[in-house]
Amino acid sequence: MTAGSSAKITIVSGSSRLESRVHAVVGLAAETAASAGATVEVVSLHELTLPVMVYGDRSQDDLPGVQTIRRHAAWADGFILCTPEYHGNMSGCLKNWFDFLYEELAGKFAGVLAVTGGGGGDMSITAVKTSFAWCHGFTLPYHVAARAVDFDAEGNLVNNMVADRIRRVAYDVVRYAPLVHGAFEEARRLGPGVQAGVAGAHT
Ligand SMILES: Cc1cc2nc3c(=O)[nH]c(=O)nc-3n(C[C@H](O)[C@H](O)[C@H](O)COP(=O)(O)O)c2cc1C
């Protein structure tokens, strides 16, 4: 039994297209998290055709895609969030995923992965971490971006250093997610008082 064997990890593939290099990165992260002992679920946003979130439109609550992302998010202790970098930011579909969620992410833990054309990925990674933090989630202080040159013509990730960084993120999410989520749930049980810290805002 490994340290992370009780971890429930949802991996979000944040591309809106089937041909994306994001899927190779998600596959490696999923394989690594599973081999570390986690139960892993992958949410592929290109398969869900989520509408743009309309604040206050309760009819969106009944849409299968919305129910799917909320169920996978509520189930998880932690997340590995993978985004293509679009204009120095996360993809629109990953931001839309965030906009449908809030309580489901509070007190959870996330690692962030990016795929870029050639940039270092800092902008999109920071954007994902900022949105996760604004949902009262905690993020791993380590991350990785795979650039176009790190893949071969068939879309396979061929840069071993980048692959190892992805594995490192996956191992750490499996390691820390149950601890962070467990501590948050314990704090939440204290009620709304200040001693519960940020969890008191979610009672
Ligand atoms: C609308 C758009 C904006 C992009 N902006 C950036 C960018 O800011 N920095 C970068 O390095 N690559 C950028 N790219 C390239 C993608 O990050 C690159 O294609 C990457 O492989 C991710 O997605 P893909 O594999 O689905 O193409 C952009 C691509 C698109 C379509």
Side-chain angles (χ1 to χ4, degrees), residues 15 17 20-21 84-88 115-119:
S15 176
R17 71 188 192 115
S20 180
R21 298 184 186 96
E85 181 161 277
Y86 285 169
H87 300 322
V115 178
T116 78

PDB file of all heavy atoms in Angstrom, residues 15 17 20-21 84-88 115-119, ligand 1:
ATOM      1  N   SER A  15      -8.579  20.882 -23.130  1.00  0.00           N
ATOM      2  CA  SER A  15      -8.614  21.309 -24.535  1.00  0.00           C
ATOM      3  C   SER A  15     -10.007  21.068 -25.098  1.00  0.00           C
ATOM      4  O   SER A  15     -10.674  20.097 -24.731  1.00  0.00           O
ATOM      5  CB  SER A  15      -7.597  20.522 -25.361  1.00  0.00           C
ATOM      6  OG  SER A  15      -7.727  20.890 -26.730  1.00  0.00           O
ATOM      7  N   ARG A  17     -10.370  20.378 -28.233  1.00  0.00           N
ATOM      8  CA  ARG A  17     -10.238  19.623 -29.494  1.00  0.00           C
ATOM      9  C   ARG A  17      -9.566  18.267 -29.296  1.00  0.00           C
ATOM     10  O   ARG A  17      -8.688  18.090 -28.444  1.00  0.00           O
ATOM     11  CB  ARG A  17      -9.512  20.452 -30.537  1.00  0.00           C
ATOM     12  CG  ARG A  17      -8.033  20.655 -30.296  1.00  0.00           C
ATOM     13  CD  ARG A  17      -7.464  21.645 -31.283  1.00  0.00           C
ATOM     14  NE  ARG A  17      -6.011  21.646 -31.264  1.00  0.00           N
ATOM     15  CZ  ARG A  17      -5.261  21.262 -32.287  1.00  0.00           C
ATOM     16  NH1 ARG A  17      -5.805  20.841 -33.407  1.00  0.00           N
ATOM     17  NH2 ARG A  17      -3.939  21.298 -32.202  1.00  0.00           N
ATOM     18  N   SER A  20      -5.542  17.587 -29.748  1.00  0.00           N
ATOM     19  CA  SER A  20      -4.634  18.367 -28.903  1.00  0.00           C
ATOM     20  C   SER A  20      -3.500  17.533 -28.286  1.00  0.00           C
ATOM     21  O   SER A  20      -3.697  16.374 -27.899  1.00  0.00           O
ATOM     22  CB  SER A  20      -5.435  19.018 -27.774  1.00  0.00           C
ATOM     23  OG  SER A  20      -4.573  19.767 -26.956  1.00  0.00           O
ATOM     24  N   ARG A  21      -2.338  18.160 -28.154  1.00  0.00           N
ATOM     25  CA  ARG A  21      -1.214  17.533 -27.445  1.00  0.00           C
ATOM     26  C   ARG A  21      -1.507  17.382 -25.950  1.00  0.00           C
ATOM     27  O   ARG A  21      -0.825  16.639 -25.250  1.00  0.00           O
ATOM     28  CB  ARG A  21       0.047  18.373 -27.633  1.00  0.00           C
ATOM     29  CG  ARG A  21       0.505  18.494 -29.069  1.00  0.00           C
ATOM     30  CD  ARG A  21       1.818  19.258 -29.157  1.00  0.00           C
ATOM     31  NE  ARG A  21       2.179  19.494 -30.556  1.00  0.00           N
ATOM     32  CZ  ARG A  21       1.900  20.620 -31.213  1.00  0.00           C
ATOM     33  NH1 ARG A  21       1.297  21.627 -30.610  1.00  0.00           N
ATOM     34  NH2 ARG A  21       2.224  20.761 -32.480  1.00  0.00           N
ATOM     35  N   PRO A  84      -4.111  23.882 -22.497  1.00  0.00           N
ATOM     36  CA  PRO A  84      -3.285  24.469 -23.557  1.00  0.00           C
ATOM     37  C   PRO A  84      -3.119  25.953 -23.230  1.00  0.00           C
ATOM     38  O   PRO A  84      -4.017  26.542 -22.627  1.00  0.00           O
ATOM     39  CB  PRO A  84      -4.137  24.281 -24.816  1.00  0.00           C
ATOM     40  CG  PRO A  84      -5.547  24.193 -24.343  1.00  0.00           C
ATOM     41  CD  PRO A  84      -5.495  23.631 -22.940  1.00  0.00           C
ATOM     42  N   GLU A  85      -1.988  26.529 -23.590  1.00  0.00           N
ATOM     43  CA  GLU A  85      -1.828  27.971 -23.358  1.00  0.00           C
ATOM     44  C   GLU A  85      -2.397  28.730 -24.552  1.00  0.00           C
ATOM     45  O   GLU A  85      -1.942  28.539 -25.690  1.00  0.00           O
ATOM     46  CB  GLU A  85      -0.357  28.339 -23.161  1.00  0.00           C
ATOM     47  CG  GLU A  85      -0.195  29.843 -22.907  1.00  0.00           C
ATOM     48  CD  GLU A  85       1.133  30.180 -22.260  1.00  0.00           C
ATOM     49  OE1 GLU A  85       1.230  30.056 -21.033  1.00  0.00           O
ATOM     50  OE2 GLU A  85       2.067  30.551 -22.986  1.00  0.00           O
ATOM     51  N   TYR A  86      -3.414  29.530 -24.297  1.00  0.00           N
ATOM     52  CA  TYR A  86      -4.052  30.354 -25.323  1.00  0.00           C
ATOM     53  C   TYR A  86      -3.900  31.821 -24.936  1.00  0.00           C
ATOM     54  O   TYR A  86      -4.461  32.253 -23.924  1.00  0.00           O
ATOM     55  CB  TYR A  86      -5.547  30.022 -25.445  1.00  0.00           C
ATOM     56  CG  TYR A  86      -5.878  28.715 -26.153  1.00  0.00           C
ATOM     57  CD1 TYR A  86      -7.171  28.217 -26.115  1.00  0.00           C
ATOM     58  CD2 TYR A  86      -4.915  27.985 -26.859  1.00  0.00           C
ATOM     59  CE1 TYR A  86      -7.514  27.037 -26.772  1.00  0.00           C
ATOM     60  CE2 TYR A  86      -5.247  26.803 -27.511  1.00  0.00           C
ATOM     61  CZ  TYR A  86      -6.546  26.331 -27.467  1.00  0.00           C
ATOM     62  OH  TYR A  86      -6.877  25.160 -28.109  1.00  0.00           O
ATOM     63  N   HIS A  87      -3.156  32.569 -25.759  1.00  0.00           N
ATOM     64  CA  HIS A  87      -2.974  34.008 -25.520  1.00  0.00           C
ATOM     65  C   HIS A  87      -2.541  34.289 -24.075  1.00  0.00           C
ATOM     66  O   HIS A  87      -3.119  35.130 -23.381  1.00  0.00           O
ATOM     67  CB  HIS A  87      -4.271  34.773 -25.842  1.00  0.00           C
ATOM     68  CG  HIS A  87      -4.725  34.610 -27.262  1.00  0.00           C
ATOM     69  ND1 HIS A  87      -3.844  34.554 -28.329  1.00  0.00           N
ATOM     70  CD2 HIS A  87      -5.956  34.464 -27.798  1.00  0.00           C
ATOM     71  CE1 HIS A  87      -4.523  34.397 -29.452  1.00  0.00           C
ATOM     72  NE2 HIS A  87      -5.807  34.323 -29.160  1.00  0.00           N
ATOM     73  N   GLY A  88      -1.552  33.567 -23.630  1.00  0.00           N
ATOM     74  CA  GLY A  88      -1.013  33.791 -22.291  1.00  0.00           C
ATOM     75  C   GLY A  88      -1.997  33.483 -21.179  1.00  0.00           C
ATOM     76  O   GLY A  88      -1.908  34.073 -20.091  1.00  0.00           O
ATOM     77  N   VAL A 115       0.387  22.960 -21.909  1.00  0.00           N
ATOM     78  CA  VAL A 115       0.983  22.647 -23.202  1.00  0.00           C
ATOM     79  C   VAL A 115       0.999  23.946 -23.996  1.00  0.00           C
ATOM     80  O   VAL A 115      -0.026  24.611 -24.124  1.00  0.00           O
ATOM     81  CB  VAL A 115       0.177  21.561 -23.941  1.00  0.00           C
ATOM     82  CG1 VAL A 115       0.784  21.293 -25.318  1.00  0.00           C
ATOM     83  CG2 VAL A 115       0.145  20.278 -23.129  1.00  0.00           C
ATOM     84  N   THR A 116       2.175  24.316 -24.505  1.00  0.00           N
ATOM     85  CA  THR A 116       2.313  25.603 -25.197  1.00  0.00           C
ATOM     86  C   THR A 116       2.875  25.399 -26.599  1.00  0.00           C
ATOM     87  O   THR A 116       3.430  24.340 -26.922  1.00  0.00           O
ATOM     88  CB  THR A 116       3.262  26.547 -24.426  1.00  0.00           C
ATOM     89  OG1 THR A 116       4.621  26.146 -24.678  1.00  0.00           O
ATOM     90  CG2 THR A 116       2.990  26.542 -22.931  1.00  0.00           C
ATOM     91  N   GLY A 117       2.767  26.492 -27.396  1.00  0.00           N
ATOM     92  CA  GLY A 117       3.389  26.448 -28.715  1.00  0.00           C
ATOM     93  C   GLY A 117       4.904  26.554 -28.601  1.00  0.00           C
ATOM     94  O   GLY A 117       5.634  25.912 -29.340  1.00  0.00           O
ATOM     95  N   GLY A 118       5.361  27.349 -27.655  1.00  0.00           N
ATOM     96  CA  GLY A 118       6.801  27.551 -27.494  1.00  0.00           C
ATOM     97  C   GLY A 118       7.138  28.313 -26.228  1.00  0.00           C
ATOM     98  O   GLY A 118       8.289  28.361 -25.812  1.00  0.00           O
ATOM     99  N   GLY A 119       6.129  28.891 -25.626  1.00  0.00           N
ATOM    100  CA  GLY A 119       6.332  29.660 -24.397  1.00  0.00           C
ATOM    101  C   GLY A 119       6.609  28.780 -23.197  1.00  0.00           C
ATOM    102  O   GLY A 119       6.454  27.555 -23.251  1.00  0.00           O
TER     103      GLY A 119
HETATM  104  C1  LIG B   1      -5.917  30.832 -29.802  1.00  0.00           C
HETATM  105  C2  LIG B   1      -4.544  30.322 -29.526  1.00  0.00           C
HETATM  106  C3  LIG B   1      -3.682  31.040 -28.719  1.00  0.00           C
HETATM  107  C4  LIG B   1      -2.395  30.574 -28.432  1.00  0.00           C
HETATM  108  N1  LIG B   1      -1.592  31.279 -27.586  1.00  0.00           N
HETATM  109  C5  LIG B   1      -0.369  30.805 -27.259  1.00  0.00           C
HETATM  110  C6  LIG B   1       0.459  31.490 -26.328  1.00  0.00           C
HETATM  111  O1  LIG B   1       0.082  32.512 -25.762  1.00  0.00           O
HETATM  112  N2  LIG B   1       1.673  30.971 -26.040  1.00  0.00           N
HETATM  113  C7  LIG B   1       2.127  29.819 -26.627  1.00  0.00           C
HETATM  114  O2  LIG B   1       3.250  29.400 -26.337  1.00  0.00           O
HETATM  115  N3  LIG B   1       1.348  29.127 -27.501  1.00  0.00           N
HETATM  116  C8  LIG B   1       0.118  29.583 -27.827  1.00  0.00           C
HETATM  117  N4  LIG B   1      -0.691  28.873 -28.688  1.00  0.00           N
HETATM  118  C9  LIG B   1      -0.249  27.562 -29.169  1.00  0.00           C
HETATM  119  C10 LIG B   1      -0.818  26.420 -28.306  1.00  0.00           C
HETATM  120  O3  LIG B   1      -0.481  26.608 -26.953  1.00  0.00           O
HETATM  121  C11 LIG B   1      -0.317  25.093 -28.840  1.00  0.00           C
HETATM  122  O4  LIG B   1      -1.005  24.807 -30.038  1.00  0.00           O
HETATM  123  C12 LIG B   1      -0.386  23.933 -27.868  1.00  0.00           C
HETATM  124  O5  LIG B   1       0.104  22.770 -28.465  1.00  0.00           O
HETATM  125  C13 LIG B   1      -1.727  23.656 -27.199  1.00  0.00           C
HETATM  126  O6  LIG B   1      -2.729  23.146 -27.868  1.00  0.00           O
HETATM  127  P1  LIG B   1      -2.930  22.061 -29.052  1.00  0.00           P
HETATM  128  O7  LIG B   1      -1.963  20.958 -28.850  1.00  0.00           O
HETATM  129  O8  LIG B   1      -4.359  21.666 -28.906  1.00  0.00           O
HETATM  130  O9  LIG B   1      -2.647  22.839 -30.319  1.00  0.00           O
HETATM  131  C14 LIG B   1      -1.972  29.341 -29.001  1.00  0.00           C
HETATM  132  C15 LIG B   1      -2.842  28.620 -29.842  1.00  0.00           C
HETATM  133  C16 LIG B   1      -4.112  29.090 -30.078  1.00  0.00           C
HETATM  134  C17 LIG B   1      -5.032  28.281 -30.967  1.00  0.00           C
END
